[in-house]
Amino acid sequence: MWNALTDAARELANRSDIRVVIIRGDGDVAFASGADISEFGKARRSSDQAEAYHATVQEALDAIEAIPYPVIAQIRGFCIGAGTAIALACDLRYLDASVRFGIPAAKLGIGYSPPWIDRLAQVVGHSTAAEILMSAKLFDVEKAQRCGFANEVLPVEELDSFVSERATLFAANAPLTLRAAKTCLRELSKPEHTRDWSSVVDAAQRCVDSSDYQTALKAFAEKRTPEFLGE
Amino acid sequence: MWNALTDAARELANRSDIRVVIIRGDGDVAFASGADISEFGKARRSSDQAEAYHATVQEALDAIEAIPYPVIAQIRGFCIGAGTAIALACDLRYLDASVRFGIPAAKLGIGYSPPWIDRLAQVVGHSTAAEILMSAKLFDVEKAQRCGFANEVLPVEELDSFVSERATLFAANAPLTLRAAKTCLRELSKPEHTRDWSSVVDAAQRCVDSSDYQTALKAFAEKRTPEFLGE
Amino acid sequence: MWNALTDAARELANRSDIRVVIIRGDGDVAFASGADISEFGKARRSSDQAEAYHATVQEALDAIEAIPYPVIAQIRGFCIGAGTAIALACDLRYLDASVRFGIPAAKLGIGYSPPWIDRLAQVVGHSTAAEILMSAKLFDVEKAQRCGFANEVLPVEELDSFVSERATLFAANAPLTLRAAKTCLRELSKPEHTRDWSSVVDAAQRCVDSSDYQTALKAFAEKRTPEFLGE
C-alpha cells in the first residue's frame, strides 16, 4: 500500500492538468486506521526490517509533500498512527465530527519515527504532541480543533460539500502563487541547514514574471474575474 | 505611504518619552485594506519594480519591529494583504468583532513575500498559514482567535477602552524589562544563524544593573507601587 | 528550595522503578507562587548574584527536563514567575479552573531569563508570550487553554482524579517508546546547532531492539494487553 501511495503521489505531482489534490479514506469508517499491525511480526521483526519499513513510509510521505498543489486531507472516522502521519503530510486537514485520532505506538513498544514527531509537533505544538505520544490514546475533534490538527471541523453531513467548495476555491486561484506559498511553507518546516531557500525565491519570482499576473491586473482594472493558466 | 510609515516608526523608535506604540487605521472601516492594487500596473509591472516594492514594504515592517517598546495593532474592519503584514510586525493584535482578515495574493497571481509568510506561519501556525494563502479568502474573528492571530477579540464598542487599558498597563511596567523581553522574542523569531544573541543577553543584563530594579525592590519592601524611569 | 528541586529531580531520573512523575504544589493555594521577592534584595542585588541565581534555577529546570519519564505539572491556584518556568519544564500541564498564571518580572524591573522566554514562546506562541511578559498580568484558565499553556483544564474537584487517570495511562505504556518520544521532543525544542540528534535515533532504535516490542506483538496476536518492562 505504501508503494502504491508513493506512485500515485508522484504521478499527480507530474500532471499539469491538476490544481488541487484531496486525500480521503475509502468508505465512511476511517481516513486511515494505521499500519497493519498483524503484519509487524513479519515486516518489522528486526532492526533492519524496521528501518526498511520506515524508509518506505517516509518515501510516501515525502512524495505527498512534494506535490506542488494544495493537498487536502478529508478526514472522517479513525485517523490513527501512520494514518496521522499521512494527514500531517498534507497541507490542510478538514475533519468531520466523527473523527478519532491518535498514535498508539506506546501500546506496541514501537519508536514512532523522529521526522514524523517533528512534523506532529510543528502542527499541534510540543505539549499536545507529548500528550498524544505518551497517552497512546484516541482524541476527539474538540482536541483536534483546539490544538490546530484540524483546520476546520464540520458536521458529518457537511464535510463533503465543504471540502469540495474549498477545493474549487483553491483551484480558481493562481497556481504559481499557491506553488510559491507551498514551497515557502515546506522549506520553513525543515531544519534550517537543510532548507533550499533559492527554490523559495525562484517560486516567488516566477509569479512576478508570469502572464497570469498581467492577466490578473488587467482583469482587476476591468472588474472581471481572471482565469489563471499557471504560466 | 510605506516611506511615511518607515519614517514614523523610526522617529518613534528614537524618542525616549514613549512607552507604548499603538497602530490603528484611520476611521472605522479598516485597519489597512492592503496595497493599492490599481497602482500595481505601474508600480509592480516588472521584476525589478516588484523587487523594489517589496524592499520598500520590508523596510517599513523592519522599522516597526525595531521599535523598542511594545507595539499594539488595534484592528477593526478590514485587515488585508500588506495590512496583515503590518499587523504581524506588531507585538500584539487586539481585534474587534468586525474584523475580516486575509491575503488575496492568489487572486492576483502575486508571490507573497517569503519573509512575510515566515512571520505569518510563526504567529498562526503552518496549517492556518497554508489555508489563508491558498484560499485567498477573508476570515472572521472566530478563526483569528482560534489560530492565534488575535491576542484578544472584543465587542466593537469595547476595543478602544480595552486597548487603552492594556497600553496603560504596559506603560506602567519597567521599560528595560519590556525591552529585554521584546529583544529576546524578536531574535528568537529570526532564522537561527542570523540571531544576535548577545543583544538579548545585554538587554537582560541592563535590567539587573538598573536603578529601576533597586527602586522596585525598595517599593516592594515598602508595599508601594514603583515608578520606573527606564534607567 | 531550588537545590532541593534539582536533587529530587536527579534522584527520580536515576530510579528504574518509576514510570511517571507528577509535580504539584503543597496544599490548595498554589502550584508555585514564584521566587521569594523579599529575598531578592539580598540574593539578587548585584549582577554576579543575579547570574548565580539564574544559574541555580536553570539547573533545577534542566534536571526536571532530563527526567526520562513523562513529567506532569498538576496545577491549581497561583502559578507565577519562576513557577511558570517550572510548569514549562514539564512535558504536560493539567490545570484546574482556579489557576491564575503570569510573569510579573516587568513589575520588578527584572530581566526574565532568555532561555525561559524561549521555552514560554515555544509552548504558548510568540504573541501570547509577548502579552504575558509585557503586561506582567495574571491570566485565567480561559487564556491558558486558548494559548496552549494548558493541555487540559478541569473543574476544581476533578483535577486529582484526571491527573491520576492520565498518569496510570502513561505508566501502562511502553517506557522505551515514551523515552524515545520525549528525547525527540526535547532535542527539537533546542536551537538546531545544539541538538544531539544521535540520542534521538538511538532512543528510537532501542524500541525496535527491545523485548517489550516482541512481547507486544505476541500480546496483540493473542488479543491480550502486554505488560511492559522497559527492556
Side-chain angles (χ1 to χ4, degrees), chain B residues 5-220:
Chain B
L5 190 55
T6 303
D7 291 345
R10 285 187 182 155
E11 198 210 313
L12 289 169
N14 286 323
R15 277 173 60 177
S16 59
D17 60 335
I18 279 175
R19 293 284 179 92
V20 179
V21 170
I22 300 170
I23 298 185
R24 46 177 289 174
D26 191 12
D28 288 352
V29 180
F31 175 72
S33 44
D36 186 346
I37 294 159
S38 63
E39 286 190 351
F40 277 19
K42 272 178 291 183
R44 286 175 67 162
R45 195 174 295 166
S46 70
S47 307
D48 285 359
Q49 282 175 326
E51 210 169 300
Y53 177 84
H54 277 289
T56 307
V57 177
Q58 192 60 52
E59 209 176 9
L61 300 176
D62 287 344
I64 292 170
E65 287 187 11
I67 295 173
Y69 317 105
V71 179
I72 300 171
Q74 176 175 349
I75 307 179
R76 63 182 359 155
F78 294 107
C79 176
I80 303 182
T84 59
I86 297 175
L88 291 165
C90 300
D91 297 304
L92 301 153
R93 284 153 296 282
Y94 295 125
L95 279 58
D96 78 20
S98 73
V99 169
R100 297 289 175 278
F101 75 109
I103 298 172
K107 284 189 199 266
L108 286 161
I110 299 171
Y112 202 65
S113 181
W116 312 347
I117 294 179
D118 188 2
R119 182 75 183 147
L120 174 69
Q122 283 173 22
V123 173
V124 307
H126 280 239
S127 298
T128 302
E131 194 173 19
I132 289 171
L133 290 161
M134 289 170 175
S135 70
K137 206 175 108 64
L138 296 190
F139 293 89
D140 65 16
V141 291
E142 200 267 326
K143 186 82 166 190
Q145 184 142 54
R146 190 140 47 83
C147 74
F149 180 77
N151 284 81
E152 211 69 55
V153 173
L154 286 304
V156 171
E157 65 277 13
E158 291 175 23
L159 182 65
D160 278 353
S161 61
F162 180 89
V163 169
S164 104
E165 215 173 272
R166 279 291 158 97
T168 306
L169 190 68
F170 295 172
N173 286 333
L176 295 176
T177 303
L178 303 195
R179 185 182 288 233
K182 178 153 185 174
T183 303
C184 184
L185 288 168
R186 197 183 167 205
E187 295 301 322
L188 286 172
S189 76
K190 293 182 184 171
E192 201 177 312
H193 73 278
T194 67
R195 283 182 202 158
D196 174 13
W197 200 249
S198 69
S199 70
V200 177
V201 173
D202 284 354
Q205 188 62 47
R206 275 191 66 188
C207 299
V208 184
D209 295 336
S210 69
S211 60
D212 273 355
Y213 174 46
Q214 300 302 332
T215 305
L217 287 184
K218 202 152 171 280
F220 182 85

Side-chain angles (χ1 to χ4, degrees), chain A residues 75-86:
Chain A
I75 307 178
R76 63 182 358 155
F78 294 107
C79 176
I80 303 181
T84 60
I86 297 174

Side-chain angles (χ1 to χ4, degrees), chain C residues 117-135:
Chain C
I117 293 180
D118 188 3
R119 181 77 184 145
L120 175 70
Q122 282 172 24
V123 174
V124 306
H126 280 241
S127 298
T128 302
E131 193 173 20
I132 289 171
L133 290 162
M134 290 170 174
S135 70

Side-chain angles (χ1 to χ4, degrees), chain C residues 20-199:
Chain C
V20 179
V21 171
I22 299 170
I23 299 185
R24 45 178 290 175
D26 191 11
D28 288 352
V29 180
F31 174 72
S33 45
D36 186 346
I37 293 159
S38 63
E39 284 189 352
F40 278 17
K42 271 179 291 183
R44 285 175 67 161
R45 194 174 295 166
S46 70
S47 306
D48 285 0
Q49 283 175 325
E51 210 168 302
Y53 178 84
H54 277 288
T56 307
V57 177
Q58 191 60 53
E59 209 175 10
L61 300 176
D62 288 344
I64 293 170
E65 287 186 10
I67 294 172
Y69 318 106
V71 179
I72 299 172
Q74 176 175 349
I75 308 179
R76 63 184 357 155
F78 294 108
C79 176
I80 302 181
T84 60
I86 296 174
L88 291 165
C90 300
D91 297 303
L92 301 153
R93 285 154 294 285
Y94 296 124
L95 280 57
D96 78 20
S98 73
V99 168
R100 297 290 175 278
F101 75 109
I103 298 171
K107 286 189 197 265
L108 285 162
I110 299 172
Y112 201 65
S113 181
W116 311 348
I117 293 180
D118 188 3
R119 181 77 184 145
L120 175 70
Q122 282 172 24
V123 174
V124 306
H126 280 241
S127 298
T128 302
E131 193 173 20
I132 289 171
L133 290 162
M134 290 170 174
S135 70
K137 206 174 108 63
L138 296 190
F139 293 89
D140 64 17
V141 290
E142 199 267 327
K143 186 83 167 190
Q145 184 142 52
R146 190 141 47 83
C147 74
F149 180 77
N151 284 79
E152 212 68 57
V153 172
L154 286 305
V156 171
E157 64 279 11
E158 292 174 21
L159 182 64
D160 278 354
S161 61
F162 180 90
V163 169
S164 104
E165 216 173 273
R166 280 290 159 100
T168 306
L169 189 68
F170 297 171
N173 286 333
L176 295 176
T177 303
L178 303 195
R179 186 182 288 231
K182 178 153 185 173
T183 303
C184 184
L185 289 168
R186 197 184 168 204
E187 295 301 323
L188 286 172
S189 76
K190 293 182 186 171
E192 201 177 313
H193 72 277
T194 67
R195 283 183 202 157
D196 174 13
W197 201 250
S198 69
S199 69

